[in-house]
Amino acid sequence: MMAAMENVIIIGSGPAGLTAGIYTARAGLSPLVIEGMNALGQLVQTREVENFPGFANPVSGLDLMTSMRRQAENAGVRFAMDEISAVDFSGSVLKLSGMTGDYSSKTVIIATGAEAKWTGIEGESTYRNRGISACATCDGAFHKGKSVAVIGGGDTALSDALHLSRICERVAIIHRRDKFRGTRALVERVLATPNIDVKWNTTVVSFDGDGGRLNAITLSDASRLEISGAFIAVGHAPKTAFLKGALELDENGYIRVENTHTSRPGVFAAGDCADPNYKQAVSAAGTGAEAALEAQRYLESAK
Ligand code: NAP
């Protein structure tokens, strides 16, 4: 059956996608937001958000995103649960194929965000989900009163370490350089937390275990650290694999945009999937609003 022709389809329901939804709904375009396995985006993994304007006190990422979704629903956004696996942007009707349906639209806003990267270090794939995780908020509670390691030196590693320090006995941050990349406020808090140790200029050589579960890591200084969990926080990669060949991407897979316009007319991108630089919730929401306004202009000029 032919899919109904939509005005705007938004792929992704993080801050960029939901903001694009709120704006296009208020413009009377009746947008359809397609949300997949990672509905509400990466922010739901952040326990305390302190830098999203409008909240005098820290707000949990889940509360913030749940409220943003309700705001989108109230504005008239429609939602579909699906994972888009292929696109055809070659004609004037933009086509999307998902696991549960096919979609046609006059405009598309891509807001698929980014996902955590893995290190590829020996033992990582063996012990993934058996002690190794990329989400401290999701899995930290499994290590109550135990020792864990966080690998990385950016904001994710620092906020993961702070979160884990409240649950675990000891937290070791393994960082390959002698300086953190993360925000000063987080760096200062980490360095002042008594049960966080930082191992500078150190890398993980292998993740070790008994075959069933992780129980230690071997470090580049040949020491061995006994831990019950390791949290990987070595950055994020854009979720754009399904767009290969359909849109111009940069060498790291980010969608190339100019004022949210992609290389295809009628296709816009917002948030982390098109942002190699800032990757903040507030900038994702900002570009979501811009993409919505650009899509609206495009539809008006096409009339
Ligand atoms: P990131 O800033 O890219 O930091 C990644 C860290 O992992 C860096 O310290 C990097 O080391 C290290 N690293 C990369 N590859 C590695 C490898 N193979 N082995 C060992 N270490 C490796 O990524 P992120 O921390 O996920 O943050 C991404 C963006 O989200 C940033 O813009 C950040 O500000 C934002 N964010 C903000 C918050 C917040 O405001 N609360 C929370 C989370 C994320 P080098 O330093 O040597 O490159």
Side-chain angles (χ1 to χ4, degrees):
M1 204 176 73
M2 265 288 272
M5 176 73 115
E6 302 283 348
N7 289 314
V8 187
I9 290 182
I10 298 162
I11 315 175
S13 62
L18 291 179
T19 306
I22 291 165
Y23 272 72
T24 47
R26 288 171 54 80
L29 296 173
S30 188
L32 176 69
V33 168
I34 299 178
E35 54 184 355
M37 310 262 275
N38 299 306
L40 304 182
Q42 299 166 80
L43 209 58
V44 295
Q45 297 179 8
T46 303
R47 191 150 184 104
E48 289 185 347
V49 181
E50 295 180 355
N51 54 9
F52 198 89
F55 298 88
N57 297 310
V59 56
S60 93
L62 182 60
D63 287 351
L64 176 58
M65 293 316 299
T66 307
S67 170
M68 217 184 274
R69 193 185 189 283
R70 264 205 307 274
Q71 186 182 359
E73 271 173 338
N74 292 343
V77 173
R78 294 171 300 130
F79 287 87
M81 192 58 144
D82 206 346
E83 200 75 28
I84 300 301
S85 51
V87 298
D88 178 358
F89 295 153
S90 58
S92 60
V93 175
L94 306 168
K95 295 178 183 161
L96 310 174
S97 306
M99 312 295 256
T100 61
D102 293 328
Y103 308 85
S104 300
S105 188
K106 295 176 196 164
T107 65
V108 171
I109 298 174
I110 300 163
T112 45
E115 61 195 341
K117 283 202 242 177
W118 297 95
T119 64
I121 292 167
E122 188 191 325
E124 185 185 59
S125 55
T126 309
Y127 296 112
R128 214 160 127 178
N129 301 322
R130 296 160 166 209
I132 298 181
S133 162
C135 179
T137 314
C138 324
D139 299 327
F142 295 128
H143 306 281
K144 195 163 189 267
K146 298 185 175 152
S147 291
V148 295
V150 175
I151 291 92
D155 280 331
T156 302
L158 298 175
S159 49
D160 282 2
L162 286 168
H163 169 60
L164 292 163
S165 72
R166 295 178 208 126
I167 303 168
C168 305
E169 192 188 8
R170 296 216 72 79
V171 180
I173 300 181
I174 317 296
H175 184 35
R176 64 184 180 183
R177 283 193 300 141
D178 61 356
K179 197 171 180 299
F180 284 131
R181 176 179 295 279
T183 313
R184 185 168 167 173
L186 290 179
V187 172
E188 285 173 358
R189 227 175 295 160
V190 159
L191 295 178
T193 304
N195 66 338
I196 300 180
D197 308 307
V198 184
K199 293 206 176 288
W200 304 104
N201 300 309
T202 306
T203 54
V204 176
V205 176
S206 63
F207 294 98
D208 312 324
D210 57 9
R213 278 200 71 79
L214 176 85
N215 56 27
I217 46 177
T218 302
L219 301 175
S220 51
D221 60 7
S223 66
R224 195 176 141 85
L225 202 62
E226 294 199 354
I227 47 166
S228 75
F231 292 86
I232 313 291
V234 297
H236 288 81
K239 288 205 278 185
T240 55
F242 70 107
L243 297 168
K244 238 181 203 158
L247 289 181
E248 269 182 38
L249 308 177
D250 77 6
E251 60 281 9
N252 296 314
Y254 291 95
I255 302 167
R256 283 195 203 276
V257 284
E258 217 177 298
N259 290 338
T260 75
H261 290 252
T262 69
S263 55
R264 281 278 166 202
V267 182
F268 306 85
D272 283 10
C273 65
D275 174 12
N277 289 320
Y278 306 109
K279 299 176 187 157
Q280 301 300 303
V282 66
S283 48
T287 54
E290 288 170 22
L293 294 171
E294 292 300 323
Q296 191 186 339
R297 273 184 206 157
Y298 175 87
L299 286 168
E300 276 162 12
S301 69
K303 265 183 194 162

